Amino acid sequence: MQRVPEPQGKSTWERVVELTIAVGERILAPIERFIGRRSLVGDATFFPPERFPWVEQLEQNWSVIREELERVLEDHAALPNFQDISKDQIEITDDDRWKTFFLYGYGFEAKLGTEMCPRTAALMREVPGMTTAMFSILSPGKHILDHRGPYKGVLRYMLGLIVPRDEQACRIRVGEDIRHWEQGKSMIFDDTFNHEVWNDTDETRVVLFLDVLRPLPSPDSAINRLIVKAISYSPFVLDAKRNQEAWEKRYRERRQAPAAVEQPAA
């Protein structure tokens, strides 16, 4: 599989983040096998949304969420590319056609996101085990390369908010299974299966993107929660938090800067 070339001249901090990811993958591998066996919803690629009671409330409020999203998209060009926040994404995307807008990331609050989307943020706080919440914005023609998520102790949820008219041309493959987004409808999958995404249309696709704790029996659920908490303080996550805060500062400064006054010609 082809990967995006890595940039040269990495800093010491970038190398620490990479090392943390590599070590973490080795440590978590046996834990993930155990989680797959103990999962209360099974160990599959996709899961029926009706198995998760909190999904209904999000679908009932999808238009509320979309309304706040549309205000965010008014300044689409200023939104960060995913790899600008999470540097490891450079392996699967290196252009400006996959943008994000965070509300929460591994328990950390993105203050700008929760300020601009207060009703969405309130809905996110009601989702049991929510660790990450954001909008994922895929431009026309974008292909996200094959990859896998960092940890099997969470499941990925997506709610279709803006879906191209040709739904069949905008799709996700998880393992060997392919699904398409529907407006106002949910999708839940295990992102530790290799997956990739295509938007082979001339329209933008936007979903609400959540990571939630995988349902496990006690005491496994408590151990899983502790592992996710530990991950939230890893250099990998702290780097993303630092990048998010830096972007928010630039965004606020840009919005607050007075408009340039056009000078009359001499």
Side-chain angles (χ1 to χ4, degrees):
M1 179 193 63
Q2 183 179 3
R3 291 286 185 182
V4 176
E6 295 187 9
Q8 300 299 314
K10 296 177 183 176
S11 68
T12 301
W13 176 250
E14 288 172 329
R15 295 183 184 279
V16 168
V17 172
E18 288 184 351
L19 178 61
T20 302
I21 294 171
V23 172
E25 287 175 349
R26 291 189 177 185
I27 293 173
L28 292 175
I31 298 174
E32 289 189 327
R33 290 192 291 271
F34 176 80
I35 286 173
R37 293 193 299 270
R38 298 285 289 170
S39 172
L40 292 177
V41 293
D43 188 13
T45 52
F46 288 91
F47 302 89
E50 56 269 20
R51 297 193 65 179
F52 301 83
W54 48 267
V55 165
E56 183 178 1
Q57 184 177 19
L58 296 187
E59 291 188 345
Q60 289 177 347
N61 287 277
W62 84 271
S63 59
V64 171
I65 299 170
R66 173 163 170 162
E67 182 181 336
E68 292 190 329
L69 163 69
E70 287 172 345
R71 289 201 294 272
V72 170
L73 292 178
E74 290 174 0
D75 203 359
H76 179 277
L79 300 179
N81 304 319
F82 204 164
Q83 70 272 19
D84 295 338
I85 304 300
S86 182
K87 296 297 185 181
D88 66 311
Q89 303 298 329
I90 195 66
E91 295 185 355
I92 58 174
T93 180
D94 67 345
D95 56 28
D96 63 353
R97 292 185 293 163
W98 185 15
K99 291 183 175 291
T100 63
F101 187 78
F102 274 87
L103 284 82
Y104 298 95
Y106 268 93
F108 294 109
E109 178 182 346
K111 296 189 180 301
L112 179 65
T114 56
E115 288 172 11
M116 292 182 66
C117 305
R119 291 180 294 174
T120 301
L123 287 166
M124 298 304 95
R125 290 192 294 270
E126 294 181 14
V127 176
M130 181 274 296
T131 65
T132 297
M134 68 178 187
F135 295 126
S136 174
I137 305 154
L138 213 60
S139 295
K142 179 60 176 175
H143 173 210
I144 301 174
L145 298 177
D146 177 82
H147 63 290
R148 64 153 282 170
Y151 178 51
K152 201 175 186 69
V154 297
L155 297 178
R156 175 130 322 147
Y157 169 85
M158 293 184 178
L159 175 66
L161 299 175
I162 299 177
V163 178
R165 287 165 293 181
D166 185 359
E167 294 178 357
Q168 300 300 307
C170 188
R171 62 199 184 278
I172 180 170
R173 176 191 62 77
V174 181
E176 301 301 321
D177 299 321
I178 294 177
R179 298 287 189 276
H180 307 87
W181 290 277
E182 296 180 56
Q183 200 159 264
K185 299 298 182 181
S186 300
M187 177 187 297
I188 302 178
F189 61 95
D190 182 342
D191 76 331
T192 62
F193 287 89
N194 280 355
H195 57 285
E196 61 185 317
V197 177
W198 298 264
N199 181 9
D200 294 332
T201 77
D202 59 1
E203 300 175 77
T204 298
R205 184 236 63 179
V206 186
V207 298
L208 175 68
F209 173 122
L210 303 184
D211 280 342
V212 297
L213 293 174
R214 180 188 286 264
L216 293 164
S218 183
D220 305 339
S221 57
I223 295 171
N224 185 47
R225 191 178 294 273
L226 287 174
I227 291 173
V228 170
K229 187 69 173 178
I231 292 173
S232 73
Y233 287 100
S234 68
F236 164 67
V237 173
L238 293 178
D239 183 62
K241 180 176 182 284
R242 183 175 66 175
N243 295 333
Q244 172 69 24
E245 290 174 344
W247 172 79
E248 287 187 12
K249 181 180 179 181
R250 293 193 301 270
Y251 184 90
R252 291 181 190 277
E253 290 173 347
R254 176 178 173 275
R255 299 279 293 200
Q256 293 170 0
V261 178
E262 185 176 346
Q263 298 297 323

